[in-house]
Amino acid sequence: MPQAARPFPSAADPLGEVLHQLRLTGTLYCRAELTAPWGVEVPELPGSMTLQVVTAGRCLLEVGDAEPIPLRQGSLTLIPHGVPHRLRSGPGAGIVPLFDIPVEQVTERYEFMRHGGGGEAALVTYAVMRFDHGAARRLVAQLPDVLHIDAWDDEEGWLASTLRFIAREALAVRPGGETVMTRLADVLVVQAIRMWLDSAPQAREGWLAALRDEHIGRALAVVHRSPERPWTVAALAAEAGMSRSAFSARFTSLVGEPAMAYLASWRLDLARTHLQDTRDPLSAVAHRFGYQSEAAFSRAFKRAFGVSPGRLRAPGLPPASYGEAT
């Protein structure tokens, strides 16, 4: 069954609202027992985000040609864009492609791996996740290739507490274990992003800066909350408390596209997710996201994504009674 839409928080916090909509779908969780020397090469995983949690021992993370990142017990790394990367016990340790390593398939989405040469041990919990909301996709697009949180950065103790839960759930398969792992992964991902937002200079630029802007943030918030409303530049300027011309210039400067173009792409992003998650008729989807007719929605959708909305239906869903653009 598709997830029900989450109600927005009541607080006037556009960036917080985006984080609130960061729903992750876990596709794979792996508990790895690794003994030195060892090395694992993870291929590109388009459209996915990976989370690495070191619950015991230490290792190195290598992404592209960047300097290796030392990871120790209590370290967390997030690779938002599914880029290829390597984990290894130390410099020079041999690398084996991930999918060449035998695993024990505990459940459909949870597996157990033992690998290495029998030396110093490391325990790594690895998660591959997807995000299913337009807000999440836009937020993740702003993130760097790697977010790293060291145990020493955990002044408030949230990371250590959550990692203890992760380690306990990873040790044994219990009823509801996958659900618990998914929720814990959500917490870790959101907290990692929040820490990056608080400290990274690039988090003060572009779309993220627009969300924080006193005026443009208000306009973005009402678009995000009510995409179906017949918004105009004048109406959004009024929400922002600005003149029409000043609003248009500031919106385009911060967001990188005009307000009406942003509204159109936002609606279509939401509609694409909704189509994949539900069997609602196209006419209902069109109305839900602010289109006056199914035909207008289908034309806009095909221009944006190169495929008609009817053909985007998630596999396995019984056909609904809807039309389809050709």
Side-chain angles (χ1 to χ4, degrees):
M1 294 292 290
Q3 287 182 296
R6 297 183 184 185
F8 279 113
S10 58
D13 177 11
L15 183 53
E17 292 181 357
V18 169
L19 287 171
H20 184 71
Q21 294 296 320
L22 188 62
R23 293 199 305 268
L24 298 167
T25 303
T27 58
L28 175 68
Y29 297 92
C30 177
R31 176 177 178 262
E33 288 186 3
L34 305 157
T35 55
W38 60 269
V40 179
E41 183 173 37
V42 181
E44 182 178 10
L45 300 169
S48 295
M49 170 188 292
T50 61
L51 176 73
Q52 297 76 223
V53 177
V54 179
T55 54
R58 58 186 176 180
C59 62
L60 294 175
L61 171 66
E62 302 169 348
V63 181
D65 296 327
E67 193 72 18
I69 301 172
L71 306 181
R72 52 187 165 179
Q73 182 174 341
S75 288
L76 175 155
T77 50
L78 185 66
I79 299 179
H81 310 301
V83 298
H85 55 280
R86 299 168 298 281
L87 289 162
R88 65 172 101 205
S89 55
I95 291 291
V96 178
L98 174 64
F99 298 123
D100 289 352
I101 302 174
V103 296
E104 176 187 343
Q105 200 73 40
V106 181
T107 69
E108 183 180 354
R109 295 195 303 165
Y110 185 67
E111 60 189 33
F112 179 61
M113 175 194 294
R114 285 190 178 94
H115 177 61
E120 181 182 2
L123 297 180
V124 179
T125 297
Y126 195 92
V128 180
M129 298 165 287
R130 292 181 180 273
F131 32 88
D132 63 355
H133 191 278
R137 287 191 288 270
R138 285 181 180 268
L139 174 59
V140 169
Q142 313 295 311
L143 299 178
D145 283 343
V146 182
L147 278 72
H148 174 219
I149 299 175
D150 193 271
W152 291 107
D153 298 329
D154 185 26
E155 296 178 358
E156 298 176 1
W158 68 266
L159 178 57
S161 299
T162 310
L163 291 183
R164 280 195 293 271
F165 278 112
I166 287 272
R168 187 173 69 181
E169 289 298 324
L171 283 173
V173 177
R174 297 187 292 169
E178 288 184 7
T179 300
V180 172
M181 293 283 282
T182 299
R183 299 296 181 267
L184 292 174
D186 279 359
V187 170
L188 291 175
V189 169
V190 171
Q191 286 287 70
I193 292 174
R194 287 174 65 188
M195 291 184 72
W196 179 80
L197 290 170
D198 288 341
S199 60
Q202 58 267 48
R204 303 286 172 177
E205 302 170 355
W207 183 69
L208 292 171
L211 287 168
R212 286 186 163 107
D213 185 84
E214 178 184 0
H215 301 286
I216 302 304
R218 290 204 296 267
L220 287 171
V222 297
V223 165
H224 294 170
R225 291 175 192 145
S226 305
E228 77 287 351
R229 289 178 57 182
W231 293 112
T232 63
V233 173
L236 291 174
E239 293 284 349
M242 301 176 72
S243 71
R244 189 177 186 276
S245 58
F247 168 77
S248 294
R250 186 164 183 79
F251 190 102
T252 302
S253 174
L254 287 176
V255 179
E257 62 182 332
M260 290 297 98
Y262 180 88
L263 172 63
S265 63
W266 179 260
R267 286 171 168 170
L268 290 170
D269 273 346
L270 296 181
R272 179 170 60 174
T273 298
H274 192 79
L275 283 166
Q276 291 172 320
D277 286 349
T278 75
R279 291 174 294 167
D280 291 351
L282 286 192
S283 57
V285 177
H287 179 74
R288 179 186 180 96
F289 296 106
Y291 288 86
Q292 297 304 307
S293 71
E294 180 182 324
F297 168 62
S298 294
R299 286 194 298 270
F301 193 96
K302 192 165 187 177
R303 280 198 303 271
F305 303 120
V307 62
S308 64
R311 294 191 183 280
L312 200 74
R313 290 290 178 176
L317 287 177
S321 177
Y322 57 80
E324 180 180 312
T326 56

